[in-house]
Amino acid sequence: MMNSTHVSYFTLSAYFDTGLLKYFYYMIMMFLYASIICANLSLIVIICTNRSLHEPMYMFLCSLFVNELFGSTGLFPSLLVQILSDIHTVSTYFCFLQVFCLHTYGNIQFLNLTIMSYDRYLAICYPLQYNTQMTSTRVAGLIALTWLFSFVGVVFMMSLSFSLQLCENIINKVYCDNYSIVKLACSDIRVINIYGLTATFLTVFGPVLLILYTYMRILKVCFSGSKQTRQKAVSTCTPHLASLLNFTFGCFFEIVQSRFNMNSLPNMLRILLSVYWLTCQPLFNPLLYGLKVSKIRIICKSLFFRSAVKHRSCQRPG
């Protein structure tokens, strides 16, 4: 037995020899990471520099995009290094740093989507009171609380995992996560299991109940309200629902794979399912909101056409 502080490295055993194809996979991952950075950063800049987008919904979106940059940076640099490496090991401290980044990303993402559902509920069900309820101070407080709660919760979880006595140092994944480390323990894990159940209730079941309540009320208003109310609900709630379902399914794949024996599935499929919530969501959200939310779409179009016109004028002979 050995304390996790005495384990100098972990071995990521999900990687396998792909020969020269590793360069192809590396280019795909590099392209995906660059696309995530460009898409999320572009929308962050657009929201921050346009005063017409300084509204609660767009501030929550900005928080969502910042978190996606944070989460993808916790995965992709390590993934790119490991793809080209022949020995797939990671130091203990870097492994726990990755655990912190990825678990914090997951918590913030879900809590942020929950707050966005509450924001839509107020905007559609109580439009006259919306501006007095969703003040800039309250928006900033909700965003700060989301990040702070996630940071503190993950740090406490990691402090419990870090003190565990480990019997092995082999993680059967392409990245480090807390449950994979806990499974290597040969000491008593009852405390961390109790904390895990409590944290799951607070960060998953509590928000799910709030989301269900808000959308039941929104549906009720839509059925009894005017056509304009229904159009507003569809235009603003559809991207949120699509994002929520995509993230939920991705987390569900990851949880099922972590808790159950999935060795019957092809190795490549298991890897794709395990990284889905970390790779597709950060690319899916900016594309979804950029195309579906009218204000963002209009600004993106005007910026694109303005740059196109400027480029053409520069090419004309003087």
Side-chain angles (χ1 to χ4, degrees):
M1 293 190 299
M2 46 190 171
N3 189 284
S4 61
T5 55
H6 298 147
V7 176
S8 60
Y9 67 90
F10 290 98
T11 300
L12 303 174
S13 63
Y15 290 97
F16 58 96
D17 184 24
T18 56
L20 294 177
L21 279 175
K22 67 181 180 181
Y23 298 106
F24 175 68
Y25 296 139
Y26 179 88
M27 294 303 296
I28 291 176
M29 290 296 106
M30 179 62 81
F31 175 76
L32 188 58
Y33 185 37
S35 300
I36 288 171
I37 291 175
C38 290
N40 284 278
L41 199 58
S42 297
L43 290 187
I44 291 169
V45 171
I46 286 172
I47 291 172
C48 291
T49 56
N50 286 272
R51 293 188 64 84
S52 62
L53 298 180
H54 291 180
E55 298 175 7
M57 185 179 82
Y58 303 105
M59 292 298 102
F60 294 134
L61 277 178
C62 193
S63 173
L64 196 75
F65 298 144
V66 170
N67 184 50
E68 286 167 355
L69 287 177
F70 174 72
S72 57
T73 302
L75 173 72
F76 278 94
S78 171
L79 202 63
L80 291 169
V81 170
Q82 294 293 340
I83 287 173
L84 294 181
S85 178
D86 294 324
I87 302 174
H88 307 293
T89 59
V90 59
S91 69
T92 300
Y93 293 106
F94 184 83
C95 190
F96 275 96
L97 177 61
Q98 189 171 53
V99 169
F100 171 78
C101 292
L102 300 187
H103 282 264
T104 303
Y105 157 77
N107 286 352
I108 293 173
Q109 194 79 352
F110 199 61
L111 291 175
N112 211 120
L113 288 169
T114 304
I115 292 173
M116 288 171 68
S117 71
Y118 177 68
D119 173 71
R120 292 300 83 207
Y121 158 71
L122 288 179
I124 294 167
C125 298
Y126 301 99
L128 298 179
Q129 294 86 13
Y130 179 73
N131 289 330
T132 57
Q133 291 288 328
M134 274 295 177
T135 61
S136 57
T137 303
R138 180 166 294 182
V139 170
L142 286 171
I143 292 173
L145 186 64
T146 297
W147 284 75
L148 183 62
F149 177 81
S150 301
F151 278 144
V152 172
V154 173
V155 167
F156 184 75
M157 174 195 72
M158 287 174 57
S159 68
L160 295 176
S161 302
F162 201 71
S163 61
L164 291 174
Q165 291 179 323
L166 304 181
C167 297
E168 299 179 47
N169 66 338
I170 299 175
I171 296 175
N172 190 28
K173 300 188 80 166
V174 295
Y175 60 86
C176 297
D177 76 306
N178 188 66
Y179 188 70
S180 297
I181 295 174
V182 171
K183 287 195 295 185
L184 302 177
C186 42
S187 56
D188 189 2
I189 59 172
R190 280 180 295 181
V191 173
I192 198 169
N193 281 338
I194 292 171
Y195 175 76
L197 290 172
T198 306
T200 300
F201 177 80
L202 291 174
T203 58
V204 177
F205 294 111
V208 164
L209 291 175
L210 180 59
I211 291 169
L212 289 175
Y213 172 77
T214 56
Y215 271 99
M216 285 173 62
R217 293 296 302 271
I218 289 171
L219 283 173
K220 184 179 178 181
V221 169
C222 287
F223 284 126
S224 60
S226 63
K227 183 180 179 181
Q228 184 180 4
T229 302
R230 286 193 293 271
Q231 288 176 340
K232 180 182 178 181
V234 170
S235 64
T236 60
C237 292
T238 300
H240 177 262
L241 270 176
S243 176
L244 182 64
L245 290 173
N246 184 60
F247 185 68
T248 302
F249 285 134
C251 291
F252 176 75
F253 294 149
E254 169 58 11
I255 291 170
V256 168
Q257 185 175 223
S258 297
R259 266 58 177 182
F260 300 100
N261 186 358
M262 306 292 285
N263 290 333
S264 58
L265 293 178
N267 194 34
M268 183 59 73
L269 179 60
R270 279 186 284 137
I271 291 173
L272 290 174
L273 290 177
S274 71
V275 299
Y276 180 87
W277 68 292
L278 293 163
T279 55
C280 290
Q281 185 77 358
L283 188 60
F284 178 76
N285 274 344
L287 293 176
L288 177 70
Y289 284 102
L291 294 173
K292 285 293 184 181
V293 179
S294 58
K295 279 190 177 182
I296 296 178
R297 185 177 66 248
I298 290 168
I299 292 173
C300 288
K301 281 183 178 179
S302 65
L303 289 173
F304 175 78
F305 286 121
R306 193 185 306 166
S307 62
V309 169
K310 186 177 180 180
H311 178 70
R312 287 177 183 175
S313 62
C314 290
Q315 286 183 331
R316 289 176 183 174

